[in-house]
Amino acid sequence: MRGIPDDFQGCHTAFLDDYVVSGHVPIDVVNRLLEERPEIAGVTLPGMPLGSPGMGGAKQEPFKIYTVEEGVSPTVYAVE
């Protein structure tokens, strides 16, 4: 969906302005995306990591949030 490779998809998808946000992306990262307005399709936090917003459990490791761009391999946008 919107250029997100299958192995980088999160469990939920939202469309904000011209961006796609996939997975349990922390609100600080969403706000950064909307403030910086980079030329990408959006961001994704793959899977359903424990401790992420909306998920129970303790955070196991820093969350890696990746860029989404059609035809381009995801790169790290933020680490939370």
Side-chain angles (χ1 to χ4, degrees), residues 15-64:
F15 296 93
L16 304 170
D17 290 340
D18 294 329
Y19 294 105
V20 61
V21 177
S22 174
H24 294 248
V25 177
I27 192 64
D28 290 345
V29 176
V30 174
N31 288 337
R32 176 182 157 199
L33 174 73
L34 295 174
E35 287 173 15
E36 292 180 350
R37 309 220 44 96
E39 292 187 26
I40 59 176
V43 293
T44 184
L45 176 57
M48 297 174 60
L50 290 175
S52 63
M55 288 294 297
K59 186 175 181 178
Q60 304 294 305
E61 60 186 3
F63 304 130
K64 289 184 183 174

